[in-house]
Every structure is written in structure tokens, then in C-alpha cells.
Amino acid sequence: SFLRRESNFVITHMSLQLKVWVTVIVFAPKIIIAMVLWYVGVRWLTATPGIDNLMLNSLALTFICELDELLFRTCISETSKACLELTKLPLPSFRYTPSIWGPIETVSTGLACVAITGLYVTRFQNAIPNYRWDLADLCRGSKATFSSSTATFSTMSHGRHSHM
């Protein structure tokens, strides 16, 4: 049921069937889409070969993540957007009282993020097959290539200056 308060519509009660319907039709798909998009997006970005393509791919991923908002802004009528803006859910008043649980929650969230990232990199990523955390050979090869190209460039530069 609704309660009209000032210019807003406040939802005061929802039946159990409506709560289940909203959960199944709205919240569950959003959570599933977010998780799949995170997993596919991480795989896609880790498989990107260069920094320039990484920037473009991350921009494309941002566009995909914001596509639902773009569709909402362009496809929904102004009347429907205005009605939705006026519809409110009453939330219980929240008073912050300092406790030990705030810092514990922050630290545990940070540790969970680090753990998920570590698990992904060590167990679930398929972008670099047989990756064993050993980039020494690859870095030595790049350093040698970089050193020889720098030496060639340096020789060419000095050669040009000496002719002037």
C-alpha cells in the first residue's frame, strides 16, 4: 500500500508475494549479471596484450556496465521517470554509534577483496596458460630488446649530432 506524503509516494507495506516477485525479477538478475560481468570482464582485461588496448577495453567494459542506466534514461518516458523519482521506501532511522564492528567489517572486506583477487589470479584465470608467477625470462627478454633498441637509438642520435 502507498501513503502520500508531501509530493512523494511512500510504499508502506508489500505482500510476501510482491517481495518474492521483486527479488526474483529485479534483484536476482542484477546480482547474477553483475557477477558474470565481473568474471568475464576480469578475464577479458587480463587477456589484453598492451596498455593501449587495456585502456580501450576498460572503457568498453565501463560502457557495458552503464548500459542499463543509459537505456533507462533514453527509453523510459519522462512521466514514468518522474513517478519513480517520487516513489520512496521508508527506511528506519539510523544512528551511528561507534563500536568495534565498523573497523572489523572494513578490514574483513579488504581481506576478502585481496583473497578473491589472489584466488582469481592463482586458480581461475585462463588468460595466461601455465602461468607460474615467473616472469624473469620474459622480463630479461624485454630488457634485452629494450636495451638494444635504446642503444641503436642512442647511436643514431649521436651520429646525427656529430654530423651537424
Side-chain angles (χ1 to χ4, degrees), residues 101-117:
W101 296 111
I104 290 174
E105 181 182 355
T106 302
V107 169
S108 61
T109 301
L111 290 174
C113 290
V114 169
I116 289 170
T117 303

Side-chain angles (χ1 to χ4, degrees), residues 15-140:
S15 67
L16 179 61
Q17 293 86 1
L18 183 58
K19 289 177 183 178
V20 168
W21 185 83
V22 167
T23 301
V24 169
I25 299 299
V26 178
F27 295 127
K30 283 187 86 114
I31 290 172
I32 291 168
I33 289 169
M35 289 171 48
V36 168
L37 194 57
W38 172 80
Y39 182 73
V40 171
V42 166
R43 290 187 65 189
W44 187 38
L45 290 177
T46 55
T48 303
I51 189 71
D52 53 345
N53 287 332
L54 179 66
M55 298 303 266
L56 288 173
N57 287 346
S58 58
L59 184 63
L61 189 59
T62 301
F63 172 76
I64 291 169
C65 290
E66 294 178 0
L67 192 59
D68 62 336
E69 291 295 323
L70 179 66
L71 288 172
F72 175 77
R73 280 185 266 147
T74 56
C75 296
I76 303 298
S77 70
E78 292 300 319
T79 305
S80 296
K81 287 191 269 189
C83 287
L84 185 61
E85 184 67 30
L86 294 175
T87 304
K88 306 292 180 194
L89 287 172
L91 298 174
S93 61
F94 177 75
R95 289 186 318 183
Y96 177 73
T97 54
S99 73
I100 189 67
W101 296 111
I104 290 174
E105 181 182 355
T106 302
V107 169
S108 61
T109 301
L111 290 174
C113 290
V114 169
I116 289 170
T117 303
L119 275 173
Y120 178 79
V121 169
T122 58
R123 301 281 182 226
F124 300 121
Q125 70 89 17
N126 297 3
I128 307 171
N130 301 321
Y131 179 60
R132 290 186 176 78
W133 293 89
D134 187 16
L135 297 176
D137 293 336
L138 181 63
C139 291
R140 263 189 242 113

Side-chain angles (χ1 to χ4, degrees), residues 154-164:
S154 176
T155 305
M156 288 173 50
S157 297
H158 292 296
R160 245 189 280 183
H161 289 295
S162 64
H163 292 298
M164 291 183 162

